[in-house]
């Protein structure tokens, strides 16, 4: 029974991995060409950077899963630190780029008369750039603490054991604190963007009713599409964070193979499924995907 469940979970994980890589490679290929011709901060540029980060994230997750579940002897301290650092860096930029996309949609689509909002709206590119650069400071400290934490855990029983255990506990607490901040802050900002988009849509619909116009105007459709993108990110992000919190507080349980595999299946949903939703919500990406399916169908017919 355990073997059967392991096989099912392995199939799910590999399906999510292939789907996520396909979606992110498609996003990168479609947007990268246009972005290199016009290198500026835009929704397409953010999507391209997000796709590259998630490709790295997916491969790091797969390597971490494969080495832990199938070949524990290869998982030495150096490999463990490299994989965990790759996961931390890709997770950081994935979260903040997705948050930047939410904020970009808010500032481009929403309409508020506040001077602060108008100031940010006029400087949306600078807002996104400064946010990404500013949060890199969190990443620097998180990588440093994570590396020291992994090194201390690896050599815990060498030298002065008592001091190393105390240092390990301090570093682990620091790591958990930084982890909480670097995940909670982007979630809060994305949630705020979503709520402001709802409020902006409500104001817009109310104004349309007062003017005696229909509610299916272009601005309403843009609002709704942006809200769908943001809420899908929030939903998957909540599942992802809950899984990470479980991993932080129940690391001993994750040493068991079935638990580890289920945990990885839940984690890999975030960079895979959200990228598929981004394709569905973007007309250019959807057209490229349908074109790929049509060309694949024609190729298969020719082969037959």
């Amino acid at each position: 029974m355990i073997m059967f469940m392991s096989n099912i979970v392995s199939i799910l994980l590999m399906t999510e991995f292939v789907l996520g890589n396909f979606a992110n490679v498609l996003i990168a290929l479609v947007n990268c060409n246009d972005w290199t011709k016009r290198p500026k901060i835009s929704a397409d540029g953010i999507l391209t950077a997000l796709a590259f980060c998630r490709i790295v994230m997916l491969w790091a997750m797969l390597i971490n899963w494969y080495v832990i579940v199938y070949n524990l002897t290869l998982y030495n301290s150096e490999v463990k630190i490299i994989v965990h650092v790759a996961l931390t860096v890709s997770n950081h930029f994935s979260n903040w780029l997705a948050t930047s996309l939410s904020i970009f949609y808010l500032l481009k689509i929403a309409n508020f008369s506040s001077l602060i909002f108008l100031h940010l709206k006029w400087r949306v590119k600078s807002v996104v750039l400064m946010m990404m650069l500013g949060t890199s400071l969190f990443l620097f400290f998180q990588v440093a603490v994570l590396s020291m934490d992994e090194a201390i855990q690896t050599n815990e029983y060498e030298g002065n054991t008592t001091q190393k255990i105390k240092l390990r506990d301090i570093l682990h607490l620091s790591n958990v604190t930084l982890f909480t901040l670097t995940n909670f802050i982007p979630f809060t900002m994305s949630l705020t963007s979503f709520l402001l988009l709802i409020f902006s849509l409500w104001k817009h619909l109310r104004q349309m009713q007062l003017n005696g116009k229909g509610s299916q105007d272009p601005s309403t459709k843009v609002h709704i599409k942006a809200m769908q993108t943001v809420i899908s990110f929030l939903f998957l992000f909540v599942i992802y964070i809950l899984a990470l919190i479980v991993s932080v507080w129940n690391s001993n349980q994750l040493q068991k193979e079935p638990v580890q595999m289920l945990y990885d299946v839940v984690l890999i949903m975030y960079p895979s499924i959200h990228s598929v939703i981004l394709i569905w919500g973007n007309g250019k990406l959807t057209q490229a995907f349908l074109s790929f399916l049509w060309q694949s169908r024609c190729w298969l017919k020719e082969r037959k």
Side-chain angles (χ1 to χ4, degrees):
M1 184 65 181
I2 295 178
M3 183 62 68
F4 175 75
M5 291 300 298
S6 296
N7 291 334
I8 294 296
V9 173
S10 297
I11 292 171
L12 285 174
L13 191 142
M14 290 307 300
T15 302
E16 290 178 344
F17 174 78
V18 172
L19 182 65
N21 272 282
F22 171 78
N24 285 295
V25 168
L26 179 66
I27 292 172
L29 289 176
V30 172
N31 289 323
C32 194
N33 187 40
D34 294 338
W35 187 78
T36 51
K37 294 178 181 177
R38 293 170 292 178
K40 60 180 183 178
I41 297 177
S42 61
D44 288 346
I46 296 172
L47 280 172
T48 304
L50 180 60
F52 280 115
C53 287
R54 285 183 169 171
I55 291 171
V56 174
M57 189 177 181
L58 285 166
W59 278 98
M61 284 180 171
L62 182 70
I63 293 171
N64 185 63
W65 167 75
Y66 178 80
V67 175
I68 288 178
V69 174
Y70 289 102
N71 204 338
L72 291 172
T73 57
L74 291 178
Y75 209 52
N76 54 40
S77 58
E78 291 79 10
V79 175
K80 188 177 181 181
I81 290 174
I82 291 171
V83 172
H84 283 189
V85 167
L87 278 171
T88 300
V89 173
S90 57
N91 172 72
H92 172 89
F93 284 111
S94 175
N95 291 344
W96 280 104
L97 284 167
T99 301
S100 298
L101 193 63
S102 302
I103 294 173
F104 189 89
Y105 286 149
L106 171 68
L107 295 177
K108 283 290 187 180
I109 296 171
N111 291 306
F112 295 104
S113 57
S114 169
L115 292 177
I116 297 176
F117 181 83
L118 293 175
H119 178 79
L120 295 175
K121 189 180 183 72
W122 294 331
R123 293 165 176 79
V124 58
K125 298 176 183 177
S126 300
V127 170
V128 172
L129 181 61
M130 292 304 297
M131 185 174 65
M132 293 303 301
L133 292 175
T135 56
S136 297
L137 184 64
F138 281 106
L139 178 62
F140 173 79
F141 285 112
Q142 191 177 14
V143 170
V145 171
L146 175 65
S147 301
M148 289 188 289
D149 188 20
E150 295 288 352
I152 287 294
Q153 289 186 26
T154 303
N155 304 310
E156 182 178 339
Y157 299 105
E158 298 179 9
N160 192 323
T161 306
T162 304
Q163 289 185 358
K164 285 197 172 183
I165 290 176
K166 290 181 180 179
L167 181 59
R168 180 205 63 188
D169 293 339
I170 294 172
L171 288 172
H172 184 67
L173 180 61
S174 302
N175 191 23
V176 172
T177 303
L178 285 172
F179 156 78
T180 304
L181 287 173
T182 53
N183 286 280
F184 180 74
I185 293 175
F187 172 76
T188 304
M189 294 177 70
S190 295
L191 179 60
T192 303
S193 299
F194 174 69
L195 295 175
L196 288 173
L197 276 171
I198 291 178
F199 184 62
S200 175
L201 177 61
W202 175 78
K203 285 183 61 179
H204 174 72
L205 291 175
R206 186 180 179 187
Q207 187 66 35
M208 295 292 288
Q209 288 178 351
L210 291 175
N211 295 333
K213 299 180 180 179
S215 60
Q216 295 301 315
D217 66 306
S219 180
T220 302
K221 294 178 180 178
V222 170
H223 270 83
I224 293 174
K225 184 165 287 189
M227 287 166 54
Q228 289 172 342
T229 303
V230 175
I231 197 171
S232 66
F233 164 64
L234 289 172
F235 175 73
L236 292 169
F237 196 26
V238 167
I239 297 174
Y240 179 72
I241 288 181
L242 289 175
L244 285 176
I245 290 174
V246 170
S247 73
V248 170
W249 295 107
N250 296 281
S251 56
N252 292 331
Q253 290 294 322
L254 291 178
Q255 301 303 317
K256 301 176 181 178
E257 182 177 321
V259 179
Q260 173 69 43
M261 295 177 72
L262 285 172
Y263 162 78
D264 287 330
V265 166
V266 173
L267 284 183
I268 210 169
M269 285 175 57
Y270 167 57
S272 298
I273 305 302
H274 184 240
S275 298
V276 174
I277 294 172
L278 288 175
I279 292 175
W280 171 74
N282 186 296
K284 181 173 66 175
L285 294 174
T286 303
Q287 186 176 3
F289 174 68
L290 294 176
S291 176
F292 171 81
L293 290 180
W294 176 257
Q295 291 176 8
S296 300
R297 183 182 177 184
C298 293
W299 181 80
L300 288 173
K301 284 184 177 180
E302 290 177 0
R303 295 285 292 180
K304 290 180 179 180

